[in-house]
Amino acid sequence: MNKKLKKVKTFQEVKEEKKERKLQKKYKDKTIRIKYGKTFKKSEGLSRKQKREIMKDKDFLKELLKIIKKYFPQLTSMFSSLTDKRHKSYITYKMRTIIMTRLLALLCGITTMTEINNEFDSEQAIANLSKICNQDLKEIPDWQTIQDIIEQLDYNEIDNIRKYMFKALIRSKMFDKFRYDGYIQLIVDATDLTALDYNLNGNCLTRTRDGKIKYYKYVLEAKVVFFNMVISIDSEWIENTNSNTEKEKQDCEVKAFKRMAPRIKSNYPKLKFIITGDALYATNPMMDICDNYNWKYIFNLKPDRLKEVASQFEGNIKLENETILSNYYLSTNIYHKKHCLNAIKYEELQNNKLVSFRYVTNLNINNDNIKDIVSMGRRRWKIENEGFNEQKNGTFNISHLCSRFDNALKIHYLFIQIAHTIRQLLELGSLVYKEVKKFVTKKEISQKLINTLISSSITNLELETNFQLRFDD
């Protein structure tokens, strides 16, 4: 791993930290914090007045616009270049205005289309959007106008924007320190977006319980992990065709990965990935795909998935554990068909219960790197927490499909992935955000963004790009 980039602390910050440590030691309470001359427990938080004092000079909207300008300079021009099927005589809003309005709404935590009209309904919002979009506006685009445009957009063109953003971040090199021996960890997992009583667009997966059929929208996600940040680089929809029935074989996560993998290799031929997945992927066909593309992999090992490998591993470590580290177990050169695997196990106490984590991998393992390999294996939960959970229950609400039209709901989903990437850059890398993150919620940041857009004048869009996002190890 590369060395951590350290933030230079001010004299006041160092002074407060020393005082915090003294108070924490005196009262045996590590939650004690000092901010703006007030001593308090983190669990107590600040009063509303104190929060306003902290937040009053923080312009998170400007921070977002700076991030977009520096790291994604072609983004607005790509919005402008999207295929526009409208008749020229009916065009009021430029394409970039339509798309930027939708993107800003997502960045502000606005999760439904109708909320755009309600939240952005002010003269100041119209003036600010006019400057951001470089179009003289009399009103912001109505949500139905935005919806009409999204319904006729080309899915692949929006996906190309996502690809551009990821490649731009790779070129910036700011995440290089989170690579493992030059490899980027790529976690794959599927999630259900919503359950319905009807077969939306005729392609939902089905389950029958107590004689009642439920219909599900599923998507397989491939997300790159850079420590605490997860970035979507590909999505594959798990869908039935009209000929599928529940008794016949439905589409599934494994089939979706087989469709996704060639596309990832084609889009990023020079990148080296460590594919990380649950025990569903610990099969010969999945390993074949990874070997063919020169990818490494870490898959969960369960006795009912790779029975012979799991049995041989447990037998081997009883005879000889190939690592000297406590609570770690290692057996190398276990063969499964033509694949040479290394198996590892790590045990720890959780709530007085011994919990085991088992993995198979084609990475070389020894005493020096076994902890890193186990950490990467355990990092698979990040696609659930920072990925799906944040998008479902946090800022974005992906379970709300925004449209019943197949193409539109998928494009809305892509816009959420794009917005989530930008919002993570703010929340995990911005020094302005880090100053307040201990004291305010993400929801409060979203409201601050809305308030700035609708109440404060954007006076200067000649934004500086001489700044650096800092991501902590």
Side-chain angles (χ1 to χ4, degrees):
M1 297 286 186
N2 293 338
K3 290 184 178 180
K4 176 181 177 181
L5 293 172
K6 294 184 178 180
K7 174 190 172 184
V8 178
K9 296 179 180 177
T10 65
F11 174 76
Q12 182 63 26
E13 287 175 328
V14 173
K15 185 177 178 182
E16 287 184 352
E17 284 184 0
K18 286 182 178 179
K19 190 173 180 181
E20 279 180 4
R21 286 194 292 270
K22 287 182 180 179
L23 290 171
Q24 289 170 1
K25 186 176 181 180
K26 179 179 179 180
Y27 294 104
K28 297 180 180 180
D29 187 347
K30 292 184 178 181
T31 69
I32 291 175
R33 296 287 183 268
I34 296 172
K35 192 73 175 176
Y36 294 97
K38 176 180 170 61
T39 303
F40 64 97
K41 290 185 179 182
K42 188 176 179 181
S43 58
E44 294 174 353
L46 299 177
S47 68
R48 287 180 294 176
K49 182 177 180 181
Q50 289 165 332
K51 283 185 179 181
R52 288 196 300 272
E53 185 67 23
I54 291 174
M55 296 275 278
K56 70 178 183 181
D57 62 337
K58 303 295 185 294
D59 191 340
F60 299 111
L61 179 61
K62 184 177 180 180
E63 284 294 294
L64 282 174
L65 295 175
K66 283 167 56 179
I67 288 169
I68 291 171
K69 181 178 180 180
K70 176 170 182 174
Y71 294 99
F72 313 116
Q74 297 177 33
L75 192 62
T76 53
S77 64
M78 291 184 78
F79 290 165
S80 297
S81 300
L82 292 172
T83 301
D84 192 345
K85 296 181 181 179
R86 294 174 293 175
H87 193 282
K88 292 183 179 180
S89 62
Y90 297 118
I91 294 177
T92 301
Y93 302 101
K94 295 177 181 178
M95 184 62 80
R96 68 168 175 267
T97 301
I98 296 284
I99 306 304
M100 184 57 79
T101 302
R102 175 59 177 143
L103 179 61
L104 284 172
L106 287 168
L107 292 170
C108 292
I110 297 173
T111 58
T112 68
M113 295 298 291
T114 54
E115 278 186 276
I116 296 175
N117 285 18
N118 298 332
E119 295 289 357
F120 290 174
D121 187 22
S122 77
E123 293 298 326
Q124 191 61 66
I126 297 169
N128 286 336
L129 280 166
S130 295
K131 294 176 183 176
I132 293 170
C133 301
N134 193 25
Q135 181 180 359
D136 186 19
L137 303 175
K138 296 180 180 179
E139 289 287 347
I140 63 164
D142 182 77
W143 75 268
Q144 188 60 64
T145 302
I146 299 173
Q147 187 76 289
D148 291 341
I149 296 299
I150 289 175
E151 287 175 5
Q152 55 89 36
L153 288 177
D154 186 323
Y155 180 91
N156 291 326
E157 289 184 358
I158 307 302
D159 197 29
N160 285 337
I161 293 173
R162 173 171 60 176
K163 285 188 286 187
Y164 155 72
M165 291 175 64
F166 176 60
K167 289 180 178 180
L169 293 176
I170 293 297
R171 286 194 298 270
S172 76
K173 299 185 182 300
M174 64 180 170
F175 294 120
D176 282 0
K177 65 176 180 176
F178 298 115
R179 296 192 187 205
Y180 176 82
D181 196 24
Y183 284 84
I184 297 171
Q185 187 173 16
L186 182 63
I187 301 179
V188 290
D189 198 13
T191 189
D192 62 307
L193 300 181
T194 190
L196 304 164
D197 293 324
Y198 59 96
N199 193 358
L200 180 64
N201 298 313
N203 55 20
C204 294
L205 301 187
T206 63
R207 294 181 197 162
T208 302
R209 180 175 294 179
D210 299 328
K212 186 176 182 180
I213 300 177
K214 274 284 186 182
Y215 300 90
Y216 295 85
K217 296 298 293 186
Y218 266 87
V219 65
L220 176 66
E221 267 295 310
K223 292 182 184 287
V224 161
V225 179
F226 293 127
F227 194 61
N228 284 328
M229 187 166 181
V230 291
I231 303 172
S232 172
I233 69 166
D234 205 297
S235 308
E236 179 65 31
W237 292 83
I238 305 174
E239 298 173 327
N240 286 333
T241 63
N242 292 331
S243 62
N244 286 113
T245 66
E246 191 171 18
K247 291 183 179 180
E248 297 171 349
K249 286 189 176 181
Q250 301 191 79
D251 197 10
C252 66
E253 186 173 341
V254 170
K255 292 179 183 177
F257 180 71
K258 290 178 179 178
R259 298 192 297 269
M260 172 190 278
R263 191 166 58 237
I264 293 175
K265 183 63 178 178
S266 175
N267 290 335
Y268 312 105
K270 295 182 180 180
L271 292 184
K272 300 191 296 182
F273 291 114
I274 300 174
I275 308 299
T276 310
D278 59 25
L280 188 68
Y281 292 86
T283 64
N284 190 63
M286 298 296 104
M287 295 173 188
D288 283 343
I289 290 172
C290 293
D291 284 349
N292 289 340
Y293 293 149
N294 294 317
W295 294 341
K296 300 299 184 181
Y297 53 80
I298 304 172
F299 299 140
N300 282 36
L301 175 62
K302 290 186 177 180
D304 60 347
R305 195 65 180 171
L306 287 177
K307 294 181 181 179
E308 292 182 4
V309 172
S311 177
Q312 185 177 342
F313 171 58
E314 292 297 336
N316 288 353
I317 60 177
K318 286 179 181 179
L319 294 173
E320 179 188 8
N321 183 11
E322 296 181 36
T323 179
I324 60 174
L325 275 67
S326 299
N327 302 325
Y328 289 86
Y329 302 86
L330 170 64
S331 181
T332 60
N333 299 323
I334 300 174
Y335 281 88
H336 172 65
K337 298 186 178 180
K338 66 178 183 179
H339 302 285
C340 183
L341 309 174
N342 299 317
I344 49 180
K345 178 170 72 171
Y346 170 68
E347 295 180 335
E348 70 177 21
L349 281 174
Q350 294 182 1
N351 299 322
N352 296 320
K353 182 180 179 182
L354 187 65
V355 179
S356 297
F357 303 89
R358 296 177 178 85
Y359 307 99
V360 290
T361 179
N362 59 349
L363 287 162
N364 294 325
I365 308 178
N366 53 46
N367 289 321
D368 295 329
N369 67 3
I370 190 170
K371 288 185 177 180
D372 289 335
I373 305 300
V374 169
S375 294
M376 281 193 288
R378 295 185 67 179
R379 209 173 287 155
R380 194 189 69 81
W381 64 268
K382 285 187 176 294
I383 198 170
E384 292 288 346
N385 277 10
E386 277 81 355
F388 296 138
N389 185 55
E390 172 61 19
Q391 291 183 6
K392 285 182 178 180
N393 306 311
T395 307
F396 299 103
N397 192 14
I398 54 172
S399 296
H400 181 78
L401 299 180
C402 289
S403 175
R404 295 191 179 191
F405 293 97
D406 200 50
N407 185 62
L409 72 85
K410 291 176 181 177
I411 287 175
H412 280 296
Y413 178 85
L414 281 186
F415 280 136
I416 289 174
Q417 306 313 309
I418 290 168
H420 190 203
T421 295
I422 298 172
R423 182 80 186 235
Q424 284 181 99
L425 292 174
L426 172 73
E427 294 173 356
L428 299 175
S430 168
L431 298 181
V432 173
Y433 188 96
K434 288 180 180 181
E435 289 181 16
V436 303
K437 67 182 296 184
K438 293 180 180 178
F439 311 102
V440 296
T441 65
K442 292 181 180 181
K443 188 174 181 180
E444 288 170 326
I445 296 296
S446 295
Q447 191 58 54
K448 173 71 172 177
L449 285 166
I450 293 172
N451 291 342
T452 301
L453 188 64
I454 66 175
S455 303
S456 302
S457 175
I458 298 176
T459 55
N460 183 15
L461 277 181
E462 295 297 321
L463 301 168
E464 62 172 305
T465 56
N466 186 26
F467 70 95
Q468 187 68 45
L469 297 178
R470 301 290 185 185
F471 297 91
D472 302 325
D473 289 342

